[in-house]
Amino acid sequence: MAPATEIKEFRICVATWNVGGKTPDPGLNLEDFLQVEDSADIYVCGFQEIVPLNAGNVLVIEDNEPAARWLALISQTLNKPLHDFTNYSSDSSHGSRGLNCNKDSKSHNFFHKPSLKVLSKNYRADSSLLKMCNCHEEFQPRERQRTRKLSDPIDKLESAKELHRRPESWAEDMLHMPDMPTSPSSPTNRNYNLIASKQMVGIFLSVWVRKELVPHIGHLRVDSVGRGIMGRLGNKGCISISMSLHQTSFCFVCSHLASGEKEGDELKRNADVAEILKSTQFPKICKHRPRRAPERIVDHDRIIWLGDLNYRVALSYEETKVLLEDNDWDTLLEKGSVEY
C-alpha cells in the first residue's frame, strides 16, 4: 500500500528590497519589513544593489561587508530578544564599533569589519540536522539519516580550503569577527536558523526557517546566473535556492532584471527571465529517489520569484497619473502587460 499522506500548512514571508547601494544603518528596524508580528515559518529575504554597481564591485571583487550587516540585522529581528543597536554606535568608549567610526580609529576599524563568511557560519542551522535527502524521513531510522552542509559548490570549495589553512589564517578570522549586534551564538537559542545565503555582486538572498523545521529540510542547493555586462556578469541576474520541506520542493529565485523605460526594453527583461530558466541548474542528488530532486526551476512544486523585476508602465509620469486618478486600470494593464 502507498504510504499515507499528511498535509501540513506553513506560512512563508517573502521580502524584497532594492536598497540603492546604501549600507544599512545600525539602528534600522526591520520588524515592519519582515512582518515579524505575524510569525511566519519561513522567511525569504532578497536584496538588490546592496553595493553600488560600479566597476570595482562588478569586475574586481564584490564587497561582502554590507551583506554581513544585512544578515546581522535580519537575525536580530527574527531572534528576540532584540539587542540595542545604539550601544554599538561610535563613541569615546567604543572606538571603531558600528558603521560610523571616528577618523582617529580608522586603523582599528580594519579588525572590526563584519565577515560574511563568519557570520553565515554562526547563524547557519546545525549541519548535523540538515540532510542530503529527506525523501523518506518518516520511515528512515534517525541514526541512518545522512547529514550534510550546504551543497553550494562555492561552499564546498571553501570547506576544502579550510582543511589546509594555516594557524595564522584562523587568527585572521578571529580578528575579522564582526563587532556588531548578533543573535544568541548557539543555534538552539534562536527562534530561526539560517538555512542558506548567497551574494552575487549586489544581489543577496537568505532563507531562514523556524528551528523546529530544520530537521525536515533537505535537498539544499544554490545556483546563480549572471545577466549583467556582456550578458554574463553579476550586476544583473539571479540567485536561486532550492530545498525541500518534508516532501514538497521549493525554489526561491531572487532576481534583478535589466532596467530601461524605453519601449522594447521589456524584451531585455523577458530575455533575462528566459535565460535564468534555461541556465539555472541545481546539482544532482538523491539518485535513489523515485521522483528525483528537481534540477530546474520549473520542476519544483512551489516556485517563489522575487526581486527588482524592473517591469514598468510604458507611459510618461503625467499620463500614468491621469489614468490612476481616473481608475483606468484596463489602459494601465495594457501599457504594462508583458507577452512571453
Side-chain angles (χ1 to χ4, degrees), residues 59 226-233 235:
L59 299 174
R227 287 292 298 164
I229 300 172
M230 299 181 291
R232 295 293 180 185
L233 298 186
N235 55 308

Side-chain angles (χ1 to χ4, degrees), residues 317-329 332:
Y317 173 80
E318 291 74 17
E319 292 173 302
T320 304
K321 185 177 180 182
V322 171
L323 292 172
L324 285 170
E325 291 172 345
D326 294 340
N327 292 326
D328 190 349
W329 307 113
L332 285 168

Side-chain angles (χ1 to χ4, degrees), residues 117 121 156-166 169-170 173:
K117 179 181 175 182
K121 288 184 177 180
K156 285 184 177 179
L157 179 61
E158 291 299 328
S159 298
K161 289 179 180 177
E162 289 291 330
L163 297 176
H164 302 284
R165 296 175 70 204
R166 297 173 301 172
S169 62
W170 303 338
D173 270 356

Side-chain angles (χ1 to χ4, degrees), residues 22-26 28 30 47 50 64-76 85 88 96-101 109 112-116 119 123 178-181 204:
K22 301 291 182 63
T23 300
D25 184 271
L28 181 63
L30 294 181
F47 295 88
I50 60 168
N64 298 136
E65 183 178 348
R69 296 193 180 279
W70 284 114
L71 206 64
L73 279 169
I74 295 169
S75 181
Q76 176 194 267
F85 265 38
Y88 291 82
S96 63
R97 304 176 85 170
L99 282 173
N100 300 315
C101 302
N109 187 47
H112 295 286
K113 284 186 177 181
S115 165
L116 179 60
L119 268 187
Y123 295 151
D179 193 13
M180 60 191 301
F204 181 55

